[in-house]
Short mmCIF file of all heavy atoms in Angstrom, two decimals:
data_model
loop_
_atom_site.label_atom_id
_atom_site.label_comp_id
_atom_site.label_asym_id
_atom_site.label_seq_id
_atom_site.Cartn_x
_atom_site.Cartn_y
_atom_site.Cartn_z
N GLU A 193 15.10 4.67 -5.07
CA GLU A 193 16.20 5.79 -4.98
C GLU A 193 15.58 6.79 -4.00
O GLU A 193 14.37 7.22 -4.09
CB GLU A 193 16.18 6.48 -6.41
CG GLU A 193 17.21 7.60 -6.37
CD GLU A 193 17.45 8.12 -7.86
OE1 GLU A 193 17.17 7.40 -8.81
OE2 GLU A 193 17.75 9.35 -7.93
N ARG A 194 16.32 7.25 -3.14
CA ARG A 194 16.02 8.22 -2.08
C ARG A 194 15.76 9.56 -2.75
O ARG A 194 16.36 9.97 -3.81
CB ARG A 194 17.13 8.42 -0.98
CG ARG A 194 17.08 7.40 0.10
CD ARG A 194 15.89 7.48 1.02
NE ARG A 194 16.02 8.75 1.83
CZ ARG A 194 15.11 9.56 2.03
NH1 ARG A 194 13.93 9.45 1.39
NH2 ARG A 194 15.26 10.61 2.84
N LEU A 195 14.85 10.32 -2.08
CA LEU A 195 14.43 11.67 -2.63
C LEU A 195 15.56 12.65 -2.44
O LEU A 195 16.28 12.58 -1.45
CB LEU A 195 13.26 12.14 -1.77
CG LEU A 195 11.84 11.36 -2.14
CD1 LEU A 195 10.94 11.61 -0.97
CD2 LEU A 195 11.31 11.85 -3.50
N ASP A 196 15.85 13.54 -3.43
CA ASP A 196 16.70 14.59 -3.27
C ASP A 196 15.90 15.95 -3.54
O ASP A 196 15.61 16.24 -4.67
CB ASP A 196 17.87 14.48 -4.22
CG ASP A 196 19.02 15.47 -4.06
OD1 ASP A 196 18.70 16.55 -3.44
OD2 ASP A 196 20.10 15.30 -4.60
N LEU A 197 15.60 16.64 -2.53
CA LEU A 197 14.73 17.75 -2.73
C LEU A 197 15.38 18.90 -3.56
O LEU A 197 14.85 19.74 -4.20
CB LEU A 197 14.36 18.36 -1.36
CG LEU A 197 13.33 17.57 -0.56
CD1 LEU A 197 12.96 18.14 0.74
CD2 LEU A 197 11.98 17.25 -1.39
N ASP A 198 16.76 18.79 -3.57
CA ASP A 198 17.53 19.85 -4.41
C ASP A 198 17.32 19.60 -5.90
O ASP A 198 17.60 20.55 -6.69
CB ASP A 198 18.92 19.88 -3.97
CG ASP A 198 19.20 20.27 -2.64
OD1 ASP A 198 18.43 21.09 -2.09
OD2 ASP A 198 20.20 19.90 -1.93
N LYS A 199 16.87 18.41 -6.24
CA LYS A 199 16.75 18.06 -7.66
C LYS A 199 15.26 17.84 -8.02
O LYS A 199 15.05 17.40 -9.22
CB LYS A 199 17.50 16.75 -7.95
CG LYS A 199 19.07 16.85 -7.67
CD LYS A 199 19.76 15.57 -7.92
CE LYS A 199 21.28 15.70 -7.74
NZ LYS A 199 21.94 14.50 -8.00
N ILE A 200 14.43 18.29 -7.23
CA ILE A 200 12.91 17.95 -7.48
C ILE A 200 12.22 19.28 -7.65
O ILE A 200 12.42 20.14 -6.85
CB ILE A 200 12.22 17.07 -6.34
CG1 ILE A 200 12.88 15.78 -6.25
CG2 ILE A 200 10.88 16.92 -6.59
CD1 ILE A 200 12.36 14.81 -5.17
N ASP A 201 11.43 19.50 -8.69
CA ASP A 201 10.42 20.56 -8.78
C ASP A 201 9.11 20.00 -8.16
O ASP A 201 8.40 19.36 -8.82
CB ASP A 201 10.31 20.97 -10.13
CG ASP A 201 9.33 21.96 -10.53
OD1 ASP A 201 8.84 22.57 -9.56
OD2 ASP A 201 8.96 22.33 -11.53
N LEU A 202 8.96 20.55 -6.92
CA LEU A 202 7.76 19.98 -6.18
C LEU A 202 6.40 20.41 -6.88
O LEU A 202 5.44 19.75 -6.76
CB LEU A 202 7.74 20.56 -4.81
CG LEU A 202 8.62 19.98 -3.91
CD1 LEU A 202 8.70 20.72 -2.53
CD2 LEU A 202 8.51 18.50 -3.66
N ASP A 203 6.38 21.60 -7.68
CA ASP A 203 5.29 21.93 -8.41
C ASP A 203 4.91 20.94 -9.43
O ASP A 203 3.82 20.95 -9.93
CB ASP A 203 5.47 23.25 -8.97
CG ASP A 203 5.41 24.40 -7.94
OD1 ASP A 203 5.02 24.27 -6.90
OD2 ASP A 203 6.08 25.40 -8.25
N ALA A 204 5.86 20.10 -9.83
CA ALA A 204 5.56 19.15 -11.03
C ALA A 204 5.26 17.72 -10.46
O ALA A 204 4.97 16.86 -11.27
CB ALA A 204 6.88 19.07 -11.87
N VAL A 205 5.19 17.58 -9.20
CA VAL A 205 5.01 16.23 -8.59
C VAL A 205 3.94 16.39 -7.48
O VAL A 205 3.90 17.39 -6.86
CB VAL A 205 6.22 15.41 -8.21
CG1 VAL A 205 7.16 15.28 -9.35
CG2 VAL A 205 6.95 16.22 -7.11
N ARG A 206 3.30 15.20 -7.19
CA ARG A 206 2.44 15.20 -6.06
C ARG A 206 3.29 15.24 -4.79
O ARG A 206 4.17 14.54 -4.55
CB ARG A 206 1.56 13.84 -5.99
CG ARG A 206 0.45 13.87 -6.86
CD ARG A 206 -0.72 14.51 -6.12
NE ARG A 206 -2.03 14.16 -6.72
CZ ARG A 206 -3.18 14.56 -6.19
NH1 ARG A 206 -3.21 15.31 -5.11
NH2 ARG A 206 -4.30 14.18 -6.83
N HIS A 207 2.73 16.00 -3.78
CA HIS A 207 3.48 16.11 -2.42
C HIS A 207 2.48 16.71 -1.48
O HIS A 207 1.65 17.42 -1.71
CB HIS A 207 4.80 17.01 -2.59
CG HIS A 207 4.45 18.36 -2.85
ND1 HIS A 207 4.23 18.82 -4.18
CD2 HIS A 207 4.42 19.49 -2.03
CE1 HIS A 207 3.97 20.25 -4.05
NE2 HIS A 207 4.10 20.57 -2.94
N PHE A 208 2.75 16.26 -0.25
CA PHE A 208 1.99 16.79 0.93
C PHE A 208 2.66 16.46 2.25
O PHE A 208 3.22 15.48 2.35
CB PHE A 208 0.49 16.09 0.92
CG PHE A 208 -0.48 16.78 1.61
CD1 PHE A 208 -1.15 18.05 1.18
CD2 PHE A 208 -0.91 16.42 2.97
CE1 PHE A 208 -2.13 18.65 1.86
CE2 PHE A 208 -1.82 17.00 3.65
CZ PHE A 208 -2.42 18.12 3.12
N GLU A 209 2.46 17.33 3.14
CA GLU A 209 2.94 17.24 4.49
C GLU A 209 1.92 16.42 5.36
O GLU A 209 0.72 16.73 5.56
CB GLU A 209 3.27 18.50 5.21
CG GLU A 209 4.44 19.20 4.68
CD GLU A 209 4.93 20.30 5.67
OE1 GLU A 209 4.09 20.84 6.36
OE2 GLU A 209 6.18 20.76 5.50
N GLN A 210 2.39 15.34 5.99
CA GLN A 210 1.62 14.53 6.81
C GLN A 210 2.35 14.28 8.20
O GLN A 210 3.46 14.50 8.39
CB GLN A 210 1.48 13.04 6.17
CG GLN A 210 0.94 12.96 4.74
CD GLN A 210 -0.52 13.08 4.72
OE1 GLN A 210 -1.14 13.37 5.84
NE2 GLN A 210 -1.09 13.08 3.57
N PRO A 211 1.40 13.96 9.19
CA PRO A 211 1.89 13.74 10.48
C PRO A 211 2.89 12.54 10.39
O PRO A 211 2.64 11.55 9.71
CB PRO A 211 0.71 13.28 11.36
CG PRO A 211 -0.43 13.95 10.59
CD PRO A 211 -0.09 13.97 9.12
N ILE A 212 3.99 12.60 11.23
CA ILE A 212 4.89 11.49 11.30
C ILE A 212 4.16 10.26 11.96
O ILE A 212 4.28 9.11 11.64
CB ILE A 212 6.23 11.82 12.00
CG1 ILE A 212 6.98 12.90 11.21
CG2 ILE A 212 7.15 10.60 12.21
CD1 ILE A 212 8.21 13.38 11.90
N PHE A 213 3.49 10.57 13.05
CA PHE A 213 2.70 9.64 13.72
C PHE A 213 1.26 9.90 13.56
O PHE A 213 0.77 11.04 13.88
CB PHE A 213 3.00 9.59 15.31
CG PHE A 213 4.46 9.57 15.64
CD1 PHE A 213 5.09 10.34 16.62
CD2 PHE A 213 5.38 8.71 14.86
CE1 PHE A 213 6.35 10.29 16.95
CE2 PHE A 213 6.74 8.60 15.07
CZ PHE A 213 7.21 9.43 16.22
N ILE A 214 0.38 8.92 13.19
CA ILE A 214 -1.01 9.21 12.98
C ILE A 214 -1.74 8.28 13.96
O ILE A 214 -1.30 7.25 14.50
CB ILE A 214 -1.24 8.73 11.51
CG1 ILE A 214 -1.15 7.29 11.21
CG2 ILE A 214 -0.57 9.58 10.51
CD1 ILE A 214 -1.83 6.82 9.99
N THR A 215 -2.91 8.86 14.19
CA THR A 215 -3.94 7.88 14.96
C THR A 215 -4.90 7.41 13.87
O THR A 215 -5.47 8.16 13.20
CB THR A 215 -4.85 8.69 16.02
OG1 THR A 215 -3.79 9.39 16.90
CG2 THR A 215 -5.80 7.96 16.67
N HIS A 216 -4.85 6.08 13.77
CA HIS A 216 -5.69 5.45 12.73
C HIS A 216 -7.20 5.71 12.85
O HIS A 216 -7.75 5.44 13.91
CB HIS A 216 -5.32 4.02 12.73
CG HIS A 216 -5.90 3.23 11.49
ND1 HIS A 216 -7.16 2.99 11.24
CD2 HIS A 216 -5.19 2.53 10.53
CE1 HIS A 216 -7.32 2.32 10.18
NE2 HIS A 216 -6.03 2.03 9.78
N PRO A 217 -7.79 6.35 11.89
CA PRO A 217 -9.20 6.69 12.00
C PRO A 217 -10.24 5.44 12.37
O PRO A 217 -11.18 5.73 13.01
CB PRO A 217 -9.59 7.37 10.70
CG PRO A 217 -8.19 7.80 10.09
CD PRO A 217 -7.27 6.74 10.54
N ALA A 218 -9.87 4.33 11.86
CA ALA A 218 -10.75 3.22 12.10
C ALA A 218 -10.39 2.42 13.30
O ALA A 218 -11.55 2.00 14.04
CB ALA A 218 -10.64 2.31 10.84
N THR A 219 -9.18 2.49 13.73
CA THR A 219 -8.94 1.51 14.86
C THR A 219 -8.38 2.31 16.24
O THR A 219 -8.45 1.84 17.23
CB THR A 219 -7.68 0.56 14.62
OG1 THR A 219 -6.52 1.34 14.37
CG2 THR A 219 -7.96 -0.22 13.38
N GLY A 220 -8.21 3.65 15.96
CA GLY A 220 -7.70 4.46 17.04
C GLY A 220 -6.28 4.20 17.52
O GLY A 220 -5.84 4.81 18.51
#
Side-chain angles (χ1 to χ4, degrees):
E193 184 178 331
R194 279 287 291 129
L195 292 157
D196 185 344
L197 291 179
D198 293 332
K199 298 179 180 179
I200 296 174
D201 177 6
L202 287 178
D203 290 335
V205 295
R206 276 275 198 181
H207 63 280
F208 197 79
E209 284 191 342
Q210 301 285 4
I212 296 175
F213 308 140
I214 65 167
T215 300
H216 194 293
T219 67

